[in-house]
Amino acid sequence: ALLARLRLTRAPTYARSAPIAHPRRKLALLAPRLTPSNARLGVWPTLFPTSTTRPERTALPDTTMSSTTKTIWAVSGYMLCSATLLIGNKYAVTKLEAPSFILWAQLFGTAVAVKAAHLLGLISHLDAIEPTKVRVFMPVALIFCATIFTNIKSLEHANVETFMIFRFSTPLCVSVCDYLFLGRHLPSSRSWLSLLALLVGAVGYGTTDSAFVVKGYLFCGLWYFIFCCDQVYLKHVTSTVKMESNWGRVLYSNLLASIPLFFMMGSEVETIRNATPEALMVVMVTVVLGTAMSYYAWLARSLVSATLFTILGNVCKVVSIGINVSLWDKHASPFGIACLLFSLGAAYFYKQAPLREKPAELPTAIPSVTKAESQGSPRRDAHLAGAYP
């Protein structure tokens, strides 16, 4: 290494390939050399430089697969819980005619279960109750409460098929709201045809409804308006409010929404007192389903657009209808079921609209290589001599 410092007649030669594995040859190859070009630059080589070649740029880890897996897991859980909870609510109302109590039990029971799981160490991160987050989630809780309450009221006065005609037409309204309020493009021609096919199937389904109830349709119309507001505003909250974990959204939304419902159970006290153990057990099952439903719904909502989230909810309803046909006498005709299947098939061709403004890319950890450096230059020689950090 000391003799190498006195070699001033030849320009240094640096290996462009991978370092030689043999320790002796590697030590000789890494010996620094002082050249006139280095001397003019005022750069003195170190005795043992860390490397004789510029570090190669390494690609950042690819997280596409993990993100896709997370989305599939969230969407699958949401669809399963949504389909079963709708039937569970219908069955619970038939066993215990106290929809306000059933809804309050689901919301408050979910909040208690999440907090208890955190205290027991089953949930590692959970947002604490903070006044700033309470103010943000209070509108979420009110909209969430109104949506579920009108949902149960609709199922109390109408069958599942009557409710579905309104449900399948919501993506048309939500897609426009996605464009107006959430910064996405309007759907493509293929997606518009898919949404229109959903509406056509819903209209054909509505003509075969075996239980036309004016009061039921009024509740469904009220639910329609609140549901569209719910889809848009809750997506806005997931995109703008930073939370430590998804369980924090579950805790805030369910706990705050349970407060007004507690004062709405005054007319159901006598019914609750006369409830049978079987009815209370059914309510407990809906509480478990409600907890899982809330978690998967918030997670899936944060990963997909509001319109796609609405369509996913519609797709899982075919399972609800299949269970409803096997449990209750009130159901649509075979032609109505065919219309529903046509609507669900049309949903397959919907493609999520992209954002109008592409998010800024994160800076890479390794600087880019300029053209001069790739071809060799005094600056590159200085970096290779030991000045490169």
Side-chain angles (χ1 to χ4, degrees), residues 124-353:
S124 57
H125 295 84
L126 183 64
D127 297 77
I129 302 299
E130 302 175 3
T132 55
K133 293 182 180 179
V134 170
R135 287 194 297 268
V136 172
F137 272 87
M138 186 59 70
V140 175
L142 295 177
I143 297 176
F144 181 74
C145 176
T147 302
I148 300 183
F149 180 75
T150 53
N151 187 347
I152 292 183
K153 278 293 185 181
S154 300
L155 295 175
E156 183 181 2
H157 296 284
N159 56 9
V160 176
E161 288 79 11
T162 304
F163 180 75
M164 289 304 158
I165 186 174
F166 292 88
R167 174 81 191 206
F168 285 169
S169 61
T170 52
L172 286 170
C173 180
V174 177
S175 62
V176 178
C177 295
D178 249 341
Y179 172 77
L180 295 176
F181 304 111
L182 298 177
R184 290 191 176 270
H185 287 282
L186 287 172
S188 61
S189 300
R190 167 183 163 178
S191 297
W192 276 122
L193 291 176
S194 174
L195 295 178
L196 289 175
L198 283 171
L199 181 59
V200 170
V203 171
Y205 179 73
T207 59
T208 63
D209 192 353
S210 61
F212 181 86
V213 182
V214 176
K215 187 177 181 182
Y217 279 107
L218 291 178
F219 273 110
C220 289
L222 181 61
W223 170 89
Y224 186 95
F225 173 77
I226 299 175
F227 179 80
C228 292
C229 296
D230 173 79
Q231 296 298 301
V232 175
Y233 188 72
L234 267 64
K235 176 61 180 178
H236 170 73
V237 170
T238 59
S239 303
T240 57
V241 181
K242 183 176 179 58
M243 305 292 289
E244 294 184 8
S245 68
N246 187 58
W247 288 111
R249 301 188 184 102
V250 176
L251 175 64
Y252 271 87
S253 60
N254 286 273
L255 179 61
L256 296 177
S258 65
I259 296 176
L261 277 177
F262 180 78
F263 300 98
M264 298 173 60
M265 299 185 300
S267 60
E268 301 175 352
V269 175
E270 190 65 25
T271 305
I272 298 172
R273 290 177 179 176
N274 298 329
T276 62
E278 180 184 359
L280 296 178
M281 183 62 63
V282 173
V283 174
M284 289 297 298
V285 173
T286 61
V287 171
V288 176
L289 292 175
T291 303
M293 168 73 176
S294 183
Y295 174 81
Y296 285 113
W298 278 108
L299 184 60
R301 197 187 302 273
S302 64
L303 298 174
V304 299
S305 67
T307 305
L308 182 56
F309 181 82
T310 307
I311 294 176
L312 291 173
N314 292 343
V315 170
C316 71
K317 295 310 182 228
V318 68
V319 181
S320 302
I321 295 174
I323 300 176
N324 183 66
V325 168
S326 61
L327 294 180
W328 287 279
D329 294 331
K330 295 187 302 180
H331 57 81
S333 64
F335 176 76
I337 299 297
C339 291
L340 282 179
L341 295 177
F342 172 78
S343 298
L344 297 178
Y348 173 79
F349 296 97
Y350 177 82
K351 183 179 180 181
Q352 178 175 275

Side-chain angles (χ1 to χ4, degrees), residues 48-121:
F48 295 103
T50 57
S51 177
T52 59
T53 59
R54 184 180 181 83
E56 297 181 359
R57 295 185 65 187
T58 57
L60 295 177
D62 187 9
T63 58
T64 303
M65 183 60 66
S66 60
S67 177
T68 303
T69 303
K70 183 178 181 181
T71 303
I72 294 176
W73 178 63
V75 168
S76 301
Y78 165 71
M79 294 176 65
L80 177 62
C81 294
S82 178
T84 54
L85 184 59
L86 181 61
I87 298 299
N89 286 336
K90 178 67 176 180
Y91 187 66
V93 170
T94 58
K95 289 294 183 180
L96 181 64
E97 296 182 359
S100 298
F101 170 74
I102 295 174
L103 180 56
W104 175 84
Q106 292 176 0
L107 298 176
F108 186 74
T110 297
V112 172
V114 171
K115 191 63 178 180
H118 176 64
L119 295 177
L120 295 175

